[in-house]
Amino acid sequence: MSDDDQRDQKPSADPAAQAPAAAAGPEPEPIRFFETTWVNHDGGYALRRVAVGAGSIITAIAAAVLLRLSYEGLEIGNVGPFLSISVVVLFAIASSIAFVKTWDSFSRRPAPSSDEAALKGLKMIGFIGSLIAYFLRCFFEAPGEKLRRAEYERATAEFARRRSARTGNPAARRPKRKK
């Protein structure tokens, strides 16, 4: 049998495997680096928190060293005190804004009409602040876990409420007796 003939034939798999899965409730939203291990704190959750925290602080330190080398390059280039101070102040302000915005994003979702897109460039410049926010948040939980857990529990409760309201097949009900 050629490859073309094999592709044309439909696989004869188990019909139960092809059937859509029964509605088992809402699925948890995965978190970057943690997938869905945050739900039950399994699958290496603690190790992932340590790894994300260590990775973010190591990257922040490396970035700070790189910025220090860049600043020394400005001093070697003799660009003047105004530009040197301006660069330091710019990175400090950008890092603090990025820290605050990243920290806030762990506890609430931004509004659709918010200015998050306008601040994307500023957050990119102040990436050290975002990395420090990730590092500090890993001490308590996976970054964004509290927000996602609240949403997941709300969706699960809503699903359970909707499922418990169902009483079965309405067509199979007996007709009501007349009094």
Side-chain angles (χ1 to χ4, degrees), residues 6-104:
Q6 288 177 350
R7 271 188 252 131
D8 292 338
Q9 292 181 352
K10 293 181 181 176
S12 58
D14 182 22
Q18 291 179 351
E27 293 292 321
E29 184 180 352
I31 297 176
R32 184 184 304 154
F33 306 120
F34 293 92
E35 299 306 319
T36 57
T37 61
W38 60 269
V39 177
N40 297 322
H41 293 188
D42 59 354
Y45 171 80
L47 183 63
R48 289 177 189 221
R49 270 184 47 197
V50 169
V52 168
S56 63
I57 196 64
I58 289 170
T59 306
I61 291 170
V65 168
L66 185 63
L67 286 176
R68 173 69 182 159
L69 292 174
S70 300
Y71 178 76
E72 287 177 4
L74 288 174
E75 286 187 359
I76 290 171
N78 226 0
V79 295
F82 177 74
L83 184 60
S84 297
I85 292 171
S86 297
V87 167
V88 170
V89 169
L90 169 75
F91 275 104
I93 291 172
S95 290
S96 64
I97 290 172
F99 177 86
V100 169
K101 290 296 184 181
T102 303
W103 191 265
D104 286 345

Side-chain angles (χ1 to χ4, degrees), residues 165-176:
R166 296 181 186 164
T167 58
N169 185 356
R173 290 186 190 154
R174 292 182 186 177
K176 293 182 179 180

